[in-house]
Amino acid sequence: MKHEEVEAEDNVSTVVQFVLLGFSELPNLQGFLSGLFSIIYMVVLIGNSLIVIITRLDPALHKPMYFFLAHFSSLEICYVSVTLPRILFSLWTQDRSISLLGCATQLCFFLVLGATECFLLTVMSYDRYVAICNPLHYPLVMNPKKCHQLAAGAWLGGMPVQVGQTWQIFSLHFCHSNQINHFFCDIPPILKLACGDTSVHEVSVCVMVMLFAVVPFMLILASYSKIVLTILRLPTAQGRAKAFSTCSSHLLVVVLFFGSASITYLRPKSNHSGGTDKLLSLFYTIVTPMFNPMIYSLRNRDVIAAALRKLLGK
């Protein structure tokens, strides 16, 4: 593999191009992985696009819950598009090289959209908390202006910090190697290639994870704790069972996304291994974006199915 570098003023070789190793250790599965990821990408694009179209065109779905669901589906399309096309390109062409600027751009979009997902999941849990725990105040609290403000905050809230985080990471010198043992540019494998002590950057990453992942996760748990207490007061067993089923499905996805991401970023660099990092990353970059909209849609499958039939009928 090509290893491009330039000589810095202090005679330390500095990498100017990276090589994403991806799944190169599985040479016999390149065709299978290419087909699998192509199918996943099509499922994500088609499934999420349908949800966005349905919730926009059907007036019956012009409600806060479906408004946030449309934003969530749009986010999943963007989030997966940061990594999967690059993976497919590498599998199809076996060209795994990526420029320093390209790697930084991919990481920046990945971090910004990851923060957006954390915030949007929190906003969606807050919407359900208000709807279930304070139903009389729901139309007043979740008015159109408030919904647009919450959505804008979710999309833009993490942008300045994550852009700064990306600049901080790529201000380092990379002299150990140019081979990133991952399928996309992510912080842990990039820090492994940096010269000198990176402990300050590791602490910075932990702080960012606490701010953008752990705090939203705790807010989601707090919302659902109050939701569960409210559900327990419902008069019918059937209503309670249905509500608990909905909560458990959502919480499973939340734990899958937040858990795998937190483990990846909060572990010390010395404990990282390429195989484990790739497996964990597959969960929060590909698996959860594929299943999240399905699970949210299943909560309202009757309403969405009726809207889809109406749309197809037109």
Side-chain angles (χ1 to χ4, degrees):
M1 292 184 180
K2 185 168 57 177
H3 185 154
E4 294 189 16
E5 56 187 23
V6 296
E7 293 294 324
E9 294 181 358
D10 55 358
N11 294 324
V12 176
S13 295
T14 303
V15 172
V16 296
Q17 179 171 285
F18 292 111
V19 174
L20 290 167
L21 296 182
F23 303 98
S24 58
E25 73 276 13
L26 303 171
N28 297 328
L29 295 178
Q30 297 297 294
F32 170 76
L33 291 174
S34 176
L36 176 63
F37 287 134
S38 296
I39 293 172
I40 290 175
Y41 193 38
M42 293 303 297
V43 169
V44 171
L45 292 180
I46 295 173
N48 285 284
S49 296
L50 278 175
I51 292 176
V52 173
I53 293 171
I54 291 170
T55 54
R56 296 296 190 204
L57 295 183
D58 191 340
L61 300 183
H62 292 174
K63 300 175 182 178
M65 179 170 60
Y66 300 106
F67 170 80
F68 292 124
L69 181 58
H71 275 272
F72 186 73
S73 297
S74 301
L75 170 65
E76 295 301 67
I77 293 174
C78 298
Y79 189 58
V80 173
S81 296
V82 172
T83 56
L84 255 183
R86 176 68 219 190
I87 295 172
L88 291 172
F89 175 80
S90 297
L91 289 170
W92 291 338
T93 65
Q94 296 301 304
D95 179 8
R96 299 184 174 90
S97 61
I98 183 171
S99 67
L100 191 71
L101 177 61
C103 191
T105 301
Q106 185 184 53
L107 177 63
C108 185
F109 276 103
F110 175 75
L111 293 178
V112 169
L113 294 174
T116 300
E117 178 143 356
C118 294
F119 291 157
L120 196 53
L121 284 170
T122 306
V123 168
M124 294 173 80
S125 68
Y126 172 72
D127 171 69
R128 292 299 84 204
Y129 161 74
V130 177
I132 295 174
C133 300
N134 297 288
L136 297 179
H137 296 118
Y138 183 68
L140 180 63
V141 175
M142 302 303 293
N143 57 71
K145 182 179 178 180
K146 181 70 170 291
C147 290
H148 283 90
Q149 289 174 341
L150 289 172
W155 281 96
L156 302 176
M159 189 175 295
V161 176
Q162 299 298 1
V163 170
Q165 179 86 355
T166 303
W167 178 86
Q168 183 185 50
I169 295 296
F170 281 89
S171 65
L172 295 167
H173 287 293
F174 303 99
C175 56
H176 294 161
S177 172
N178 74 330
Q179 297 185 354
I180 299 176
N181 190 17
H182 215 313
F183 54 83
F184 71 100
C185 293
D186 199 7
I187 293 178
I190 290 175
L191 285 180
K192 279 188 174 182
L193 307 182
C195 310
D197 183 19
T198 60
S199 56
V200 174
H201 295 83
E202 291 181 49
V203 172
S204 174
V205 171
C206 289
V207 172
M208 293 302 102
V209 173
M210 293 293 292
L211 180 62
F212 291 104
V214 176
V215 171
F217 180 67
M218 297 305 294
L219 291 174
I220 291 172
L221 288 184
S223 296
Y224 271 92
S225 296
K226 294 188 177 182
I227 289 172
V228 169
L229 291 176
T230 302
I231 291 173
L232 290 174
R233 301 189 185 100
L234 293 177
T236 64
Q238 184 179 3
R240 290 193 296 270
K242 183 177 180 180
F244 274 126
S245 176
T246 300
C247 291
S248 62
S249 298
H250 172 56
L251 287 177
L252 176 62
V253 173
V254 167
V255 170
L256 186 65
F257 175 78
F258 283 98
S260 56
S262 298
I263 292 172
T264 299
Y265 289 102
L266 289 176
R267 286 183 301 155
K269 188 175 73 169
S270 58
N271 293 340
H272 283 246
S273 67
T276 303
D277 285 350
K278 290 178 189 178
L279 181 61
L280 290 170
S281 297
L282 281 174
F283 279 106
Y284 65 84
T285 60
I286 297 175
V287 176
T288 55
M290 182 174 62
F291 286 111
N292 277 351
M294 297 180 189
I295 291 176
Y296 276 106
S297 299
L298 286 175
R299 175 190 297 180
N300 310 284
R301 58 186 179 274
D302 296 332
V303 177
I304 292 181
L308 182 58
R309 286 194 297 268
K310 186 188 300 183
L311 179 64
L312 294 176
K314 289 181 179 180

